[in-house]
Amino acid sequence: MTKTLVSFTLDNLGDAADLYRGNIVAPRPKGANYALETGVPALLEMYARHRIPLTYFVEGWSADHYPDLVRDFASRGIHIGMHGWQHEIWHLLDDAEAEELLLRAHKSLTATLGQAPTTFRAPGGKTTAHTQKVLAQLGYRVDASYQDSAQPSRAAGELVNVPYQWQGVDATHWLWHKRSPAEALAQWRQAIEQSVLAATPLVFIFHSHVMGMQNERIAAGNDLIETVLADERLQVVPLTAIRETIA
């Protein structure tokens, strides 16, 4: 029996998005950045406890401002992807601005990690054709942005779409629809059944400021992971492994 592939990912690190949106005017001081200092460790502990292979999509700005932290993630075996420069609404950027920010973020992450990233996810959801052209030129192999179809597909050059659906995103349930942890868990279990039926991979996206700040939400995430691991129809894999299903 061919198993349904499941991958777990994290998006957004630190103050990049809040600075871009104007929610704050300067990075939060040490001791006041609860998502970074409390949420991130809580989620990483949860994944590590279950030995989940993890991809963390980090903004270029965050690579510049938290380089030791990003390098620590990589040293733990976490795959680091690029998530724009400062969590822009990516599909609303014009081509020139998107290209400039891609190159800036790529340079920052390469300098921080000592090697070039090869995985990208558009902040805000959707990628663009020009973005994919530039990513292919830079040697990226995975664009993990939103697509209407959950089925992986070839993009440009060696670049492959490994998409997600909104049902797998924590913010969908807790920020947009104001669901309880139990309701979110029910939605995730429904997504599992839909993916098995459609024979498509399933990608989950969590955020430290959404998922990692409340014990009830962390417990729901833990229950989800245990559900996935106990289901013989499913196989947890790194996000990059889903790319390899494309002939």
Side-chain angles (χ1 to χ4, degrees):
M1 179 182 69
T2 301
K3 294 192 176 186
T4 295
L5 303 183
V6 179
S7 186
F8 289 90
T9 66
L10 284 175
D11 283 7
N12 180 227
L13 180 65
D15 288 329
D18 279 344
L19 284 166
Y20 177 76
R21 295 166 184 163
N23 295 334
I24 54 177
V25 297
R28 295 176 175 90
K30 186 176 181 179
N33 196 327
Y34 303 115
L36 183 66
E37 297 165 357
T38 301
V40 170
L43 292 181
L44 294 188
E45 190 280 329
M46 177 182 72
Y47 288 120
R49 182 165 17 95
H50 292 291
R51 299 183 180 181
I52 298 296
L54 182 64
T55 299
Y56 201 148
F57 288 94
V58 173
E59 298 86 351
W61 180 93
S62 299
D64 278 356
H65 283 76
Y66 318 112
D68 291 341
L69 191 58
V70 174
R71 284 191 286 266
D72 176 64
F73 296 161
S75 74
R76 302 187 199 189
I78 297 170
H79 182 81
I80 305 297
M82 191 245 283
H83 201 39
W85 172 251
Q86 213 172 35
H87 209 286
E88 301 76 13
I89 303 175
W90 199 260
H91 66 279
L92 298 182
L93 302 176
D94 63 41
D95 287 350
E97 186 176 12
E99 183 168 345
E100 190 274 328
L101 293 173
L102 276 178
L103 294 174
R104 190 193 305 180
H106 180 77
K107 181 179 179 181
S108 292
L109 280 161
T110 299
T112 296
L113 294 169
Q115 61 184 21
T118 59
T119 305
F120 170 81
R121 174 174 286 150
K126 295 181 180 180
T127 190
T128 68
H130 185 71
T131 293
Q132 294 198 326
K133 177 181 176 182
V134 176
L135 290 172
Q137 291 170 347
L138 291 171
Y140 281 71
R141 295 174 61 79
V142 171
D143 184 344
S145 307
Y146 172 82
Q147 297 282 340
D148 290 333
S149 170
Q151 191 67 49
S153 61
R154 290 210 168 271
E158 294 298 310
L159 187 69
V160 168
N161 294 308
V162 180
Y164 68 89
Q165 302 292 288
W166 290 113
Q167 197 173 11
V169 183
D170 55 2
T172 300
H173 307 293
W174 289 323
L175 297 188
W176 305 338
H177 293 291
K178 310 300 182 185
R179 293 181 173 127
S180 69
E183 290 169 332
L185 183 58
Q187 289 285 319
W188 288 329
R189 286 173 171 158
Q190 183 181 67
I192 290 171
E193 297 305 320
Q194 291 171 346
S195 293
V196 169
L197 185 62
T200 55
L202 179 57
V203 177
F204 289 102
I205 303 175
F206 295 159
H207 303 77
S208 63
H209 66 286
V210 178
M211 186 83 174
M213 301 294 290
Q214 296 183 24
N215 290 336
E216 296 84 356
R217 293 179 179 180
I218 295 172
N222 187 75
D223 287 348
L224 169 65
I225 291 172
E226 290 182 349
T227 296
V228 170
L229 293 175
D231 194 326
E232 294 184 353
R233 302 171 301 169
L234 310 177
Q235 180 181 355
V236 176
V237 298
L239 187 71
T240 52
I242 297 177
R243 181 197 184 279
E244 305 310 317
T245 64
I246 297 294

